[in-house]
Amino acid sequence: MSEKTLKFNSRTIHGGQHPDKAYGAVMPPIYQTSTYAQSAPGVHQGFEYSRSANPTRTALENALASIENGSYGLAFGSGLAAIDAVIKLLGPGDEVISTNDLYGGSYRLFKQIFEKFGITFRFVGMQETTEIEKQINKNTKLIWVETPTNPMMNVINIEAVSTLAKKHAVLLAVDNTFATPYLQTPLDLGADIVMHSATKYLGGHSDVVVGALVVKDKKLAEKLYFIQNASGAVCGPMDSFLVLRGIKTLHVRMQRHCENGKVVAHYLANHPKIENVYWPGFETHPNHAIAKSQMNDFGGMISFVPKGSSYDDAIKIVSKLKLFTLAESLGGVESLAGHPASMTHASIPKMEREKIGVVDSLIRLSVGIEDASDLIADLEQAIG
Ligand SMILES: *Cc1c(COP(=O)(O)O)cnc(C)c1O
């Protein structure tokens, strides 16, 4: 049976995987080694030095390529290291058009690291592709999309942006951390690069920090591999193993994240003390139609704003939560709550933040896979 014909729910388990050559280990061993014996200079079994390649990382990279319907996977020491490698495809004078509502760390990397090297970043609301086209000029080399966006849960039409990118011969990269390939596969919609913070849903157990890129094009893969090896921000064998193990249950976890997310979103929407709930599954969500056509379900990420509340009221609610842990990050089996203004998005200036809806009272939930009734009971006691 060719792997290509396997359904997603089988590729999470078998994609790119083979029993280990040495002893037939079903799970790829953690090859905790920096170097490999050569029988003569340059004669080896495909591995020379673990920055360049390590068998456990290779197993993860093959799994990543398989679940994203790509041809080449690259694993990094963090999601930001993966983004860093993509931006290193560019040079001084080049321009990037990015989602305006994006992960705070990506914004910081763009503005505070790469602008110094002469790369310009333009941030736009991408729900209308015409807004993107207005910003394209002869220096534009890359469009950076995050969808659903963080933390406002806007949904961007990947296929429409891809058509635009192709028309102007610009690369399109999609940060697929929130959706995961269970919900959407951007390469199938025309994206050139898929990026992940595998720290989140792919790892799924809040025990590792890893990043990933997946591409279809061989030349692009070679350029990114060159950067990965030359800059050296690789992930280690233990971390590769943990993400590989996480991916094997991705589909089962995601199904429950989506089910619980739906229950929590509706509970919040019907709560008299809640003003706004941001979740793409609502028919009233401005991008619901795109979400419905582009995604297989709506995920477990939800943001909400309590009625008439201030910074302090939001802090009070998140502090009262017991089952939802107050913490940065998302995508683990356990439910987390965050306060973007003081946590994940603190590095974005308040004025910039509020322009896109990240008000001081916004609360973000990563709904885990606990029993939904316990999650509701916890929200009930915290919101009051
Ligand atoms: C966490 C996150 C990142 C950064 O990944 P790290 O693994 O923390 O470096 C990038 N994009 C999104 C959407 C994220 O949630």
Side-chain angles (χ1 to χ4, degrees):
M1 198 174 198
S2 147
E3 193 194 305
K4 294 265 180 222
T5 65
L6 290 180
K7 302 283 191 300
F8 180 79
N9 293 353
S10 306
R11 275 184 286 121
T12 54
I13 296 162
H14 298 287
Q17 305 305 302
H18 311 281
D20 187 63
K21 281 189 198 127
Y23 298 108
V26 166
M27 208 36 207
I30 302 163
Y31 280 97
Q32 196 71 52
T33 187
S34 60
T35 191
Y36 305 82
Q38 306 194 2
S39 53
V43 182
H44 52 74
Q45 298 174 53
F47 297 93
E48 295 166 88
Y49 184 62
S50 283
R51 170 161 36 70
S52 310
N54 170 286
T56 319
R57 195 176 89 220
T58 300
L60 169 62
E61 294 179 331
N62 292 340
L64 290 164
S66 175
I67 59 173
E68 280 289 359
N69 293 340
S71 307
Y72 306 92
L74 295 151
F76 293 83
S78 70
L80 284 173
I83 303 174
D84 179 271
V86 174
I87 306 302
K88 283 176 177 162
L89 291 166
L90 313 178
D94 288 345
E95 297 197 5
V96 179
I97 302 172
S98 163
T99 321
N100 62 355
D101 165 19
L102 88 161
Y103 179 68
S106 308
Y107 180 85
R108 182 177 55 197
L109 176 66
F110 295 167
K111 294 292 287 182
Q112 296 190 40
I113 303 288
F114 281 110
E115 271 194 358
K116 276 198 304 214
F117 295 99
I119 300 170
T120 301
F121 294 86
R122 299 168 182 270
F123 299 90
V124 301
M126 291 192 170
Q127 292 90 292
E128 300 295 333
T129 37
T130 49
E131 292 302 310
I132 307 173
E133 192 153 30
K134 278 187 210 157
Q135 301 290 334
I136 296 182
N137 62 42
K138 63 177 194 335
N139 297 323
T140 309
K141 294 287 155 60
L142 174 71
I143 299 176
W144 186 268
V145 169
E146 202 180 299
T147 180
T149 64
N150 179 19
M152 299 311 295
M153 312 301 157
N154 294 311
V155 177
I156 295 160
N157 186 335
I158 298 171
E159 204 161 20
V161 180
S162 153
T163 304
L164 186 65
K166 285 189 169 55
K167 180 174 147 197
H168 294 273
V170 170
L171 281 177
L172 171 61
V174 176
D175 181 337
N176 206 26
T177 300
F178 269 36
T180 83
Y182 176 83
L183 295 179
Q184 72 191 13
T185 44
L187 296 178
D188 293 334
L189 301 171
D192 301 291
I193 302 172
V194 169
M195 175 262 152
H196 275 281
S197 169
T199 312
K200 316 294 168 54
Y201 287 107
L202 299 190
H205 296 75
S206 307
D207 51 9
V208 69
V209 174
V210 167
L213 299 176
V214 181
V215 303
K216 271 188 173 163
D217 182 68
K218 186 162 188 260
K219 281 214 175 82
L220 185 56
E222 283 167 357
K223 283 185 200 167
L224 289 167
Y225 172 71
F226 177 82
I227 295 167
Q228 182 195 37
N229 185 45
S231 284
V234 295
C235 66
M238 179 72 197
D239 292 353
S240 300
F241 174 89
L242 286 171
V243 176
L244 258 174
R245 183 164 72 166
I247 287 173
K248 286 181 193 288
T249 55
L250 178 66
H251 52 301
V252 185
R253 287 184 286 109
M254 285 307 290
Q255 186 180 351
R256 184 62 63 84
H257 281 297
C258 292
E259 286 166 12
N260 284 358
K262 187 175 180 180
V263 172
V264 169
H266 282 95
Y267 163 79
L268 290 170
N270 291 322
H271 198 294
K273 289 190 180 166
I274 303 300
E275 180 84 45
N276 279 315
V277 185
Y278 303 97
W279 181 68
F282 291 129
E283 275 175 30
T284 52
H285 184 287
N287 318 125
H288 180 69
I290 297 161
K292 221 173 139 181
S293 69
Q294 162 172 302
M295 300 169 72
N296 297 319
D297 205 335
F298 305 107
M301 293 302 299
I302 300 166
S303 292
F304 69 99
V305 176
K307 249 182 203 149
S309 79
S310 63
Y311 189 96
D312 292 339
D313 293 325
I315 299 274
K316 224 178 266 166
I317 292 177
V318 292
S319 307
K320 271 196 199 160
L321 287 165
K322 293 192 176 85
L323 195 53
F324 281 86
T325 303
L326 176 60
E328 303 231 355
S329 199
L330 60 111
V333 289
E334 61 288 286
S335 291
L336 301 181
H339 179 239
S342 66
M343 297 166 69
T344 47
H345 289 63
S347 57
I348 303 179
K350 184 175 160 83
M351 238 178 59
E352 291 298 313
R353 256 199 282 121
E354 297 204 331
K355 258 192 241 164
I356 56 169
V358 186
V359 294
D360 279 350
S361 54
L362 187 81
I363 295 169
R364 191 189 78 180
L365 300 179
S366 170
V367 179
I369 63 171
E370 299 94 339
D371 193 288
S373 65
D374 288 330
L375 297 176
I376 299 298
D378 193 32
L379 288 164
E380 184 76 23
Q381 64 81 22
I383 296 166

